[in-house]
Amino acid sequence: MPDHPLPLTRRHFVAASASLSGLLLLAGPAGAATPEIPANQNGETAMTSGYVTTPDGTQIFYKDWGPKEAQPIMFHHGWPLSADDWDAQMLFFLSKGYRVVAHDRRGHGRSSQVSTGHDMDHYAADAAAVVHHLDLTNAVHIGHSTGGGEVARYVARHGQPEGRVAAAVLVSAVPPLMLKTEANPEGTPMAVFDGFRSALAANRAQFFLDVASGPFYGFNRPGAEVSQGVITNWWRQGMMGAALAHYEGIKAFSETDQTEDLKAITVPMLVIQGDDDQVVPYKDAMVKQHALLVNSQMKIYPGFPHGMLTTHADVTNPDLLAFVTQA
């Protein structure tokens, strides 16, 4: 490397200008709001992470951002992802002055790759362990997909009886029951979930790539604006976790009947989903959730996919904020 700057020619300037223009286009439309992250008197944002050890010895990773005195919002991720799937929501709500918390489900992300407890009861108990460790009160819990099932069981069996929950949101969530049964004829046939298990066992890396690049974000729809970064990030999160946890998690999200959980919840609830969800059919999910809950609002998003919190965060985040401010 030379110890003096190279001369800037007109060709260099044009090339640099073109590169900068490209980056600005990628960053978003002109005039788009940039979140202002609150800082303390030292100019720092409160940001911590750590682990909680559950009674069965499982270590659950969590991250905790924002002022400790602010109302907390706790996020519960979908299968087979991690707390990182909530980046767009955590940054957004942090900029609005909230305390935001997210954790990796057991066997997922940075949490312990344990051989047991891959069921909704343990998922909810693990979430409760994080809540107790951080002493979260008056919290709003937001769950996506499998995380919605986790939220429903947590609120019904842990948070609500302890008086720690102000409200909750189910986004493209799996309750009350995904599996087709005699009592749930509108559900998804077992053969579909057996196909998930077979594909995961045969080649998990390819299966996860296929899910992320296809139905999860609706990237398989004609005219879809495909983001390779979003696909790669989904794949990255999935491959961080344990294959066994993901394999057994399919049973947890598809075969757990949470009808009684939903009936037991009395705190204010918001249930939202896109009508082009190719993973969790909205008529067997959101519509039934709203019918079973005693205190809920429902909103459907025309054309939105299962992963709408990522693809349409500019629409869903303000709607979530509007509900949270009422809690």
Side-chain angles (χ1 to χ4, degrees):
M1 293 287 291
D3 58 4
H4 55 82
L6 294 173
L8 181 63
T9 66
R10 183 177 183 278
R11 178 172 59 84
H12 291 140
F13 179 80
V14 171
S17 299
S19 298
L20 179 59
S21 297
L23 288 172
L24 291 173
L25 287 172
L26 288 172
T34 300
E36 293 186 7
I37 306 301
N40 61 22
Q41 59 184 359
N42 297 321
E44 302 167 339
T45 299
M47 184 174 72
T48 61
S49 64
Y51 288 86
V52 175
T53 302
T54 68
D56 68 355
T58 302
Q59 288 194 306
I60 303 297
F61 172 85
Y62 69 87
K63 42 188 172 181
D64 178 13
W65 303 348
K68 298 299 183 283
E69 67 276 9
Q71 183 178 19
I73 302 175
M74 184 166 171
F75 298 94
H76 305 246
H77 66 79
W79 177 97
L81 304 172
S82 74
D84 295 350
D85 199 45
W86 291 104
D87 285 353
Q89 285 69 45
M90 291 186 70
L91 288 171
F92 175 80
F93 279 99
L94 181 64
S95 75
K96 303 300 180 183
Y98 290 89
R99 178 182 182 182
V100 291
V101 175
H103 69 291
D104 293 351
R105 188 170 299 118
R106 63 170 55 208
H108 296 60
R110 290 141 292 203
S111 292
S112 297
Q113 296 196 3
V114 293
S115 60
T116 59
H118 304 296
D119 54 71
M120 208 60 76
D121 284 346
H122 280 85
Y123 295 167
D126 293 347
V130 175
V131 168
H132 291 162
H133 178 72
L134 299 177
D135 193 24
L136 304 181
T137 58
N138 193 38
V140 178
H141 288 261
I142 302 178
H144 175 246
S145 196
T146 301
E150 181 177 288
V151 165
R153 182 138 300 181
Y154 165 76
V155 172
R157 299 191 181 183
H158 300 275
Q160 192 171 256
E162 296 173 356
R164 291 181 176 270
V165 180
V169 183
L170 305 182
V171 184
S172 308
V174 297
L177 175 63
M178 284 195 72
L179 182 67
K180 180 178 181 179
T181 65
E182 289 187 7
N184 186 39
E186 302 88 2
T188 303
M190 178 66 81
V192 173
F193 303 114
D194 286 341
F196 289 175
R197 281 180 275 263
S198 295
L200 189 152
N203 188 340
R204 182 171 65 133
Q206 186 60 53
F207 175 50
F208 284 179
L209 187 61
D210 292 342
V211 172
S213 60
F216 198 92
Y217 296 111
F219 290 156
N220 56 340
R221 294 306 197 201
E225 295 184 14
V226 178
S227 169
Q228 188 58 48
V230 166
I231 294 169
T232 302
N233 189 42
W234 198 99
W235 184 91
R236 174 192 67 85
Q237 292 179 68
M239 295 304 293
M240 285 174 64
L244 176 62
H246 295 158
Y247 187 92
E248 295 191 354
I250 295 170
K251 178 180 177 68
F253 74 64
S254 65
E255 298 182 42
T256 305
D257 190 337
Q258 297 193 256
T259 299
E260 296 306 315
D261 290 335
L262 295 174
K263 288 181 178 179
I265 296 173
T266 58
V267 298
M269 297 285 292
L270 173 66
V271 293
I272 62 175
Q273 194 166 4
D275 69 0
D276 194 31
D277 191 325
Q278 301 173 66
V279 179
V280 179
Y282 80 97
K283 291 182 180 179
D284 198 41
M286 178 189 66
V287 173
K288 291 185 177 181
Q289 293 158 16
H290 184 56
L292 290 166
L293 291 162
V294 299
N295 185 11
S296 67
Q297 303 173 39
M298 180 178 72
K299 182 169 184 178
I300 188 167
Y301 294 82
F304 282 20
H306 187 65
M308 65 182 186
L309 289 169
T310 297
T311 58
H312 296 81
D314 60 327
V315 176
T316 56
N317 281 352
D319 288 349
L320 292 173
L321 177 62
F323 175 75
V324 169
T325 54
Q326 302 171 11

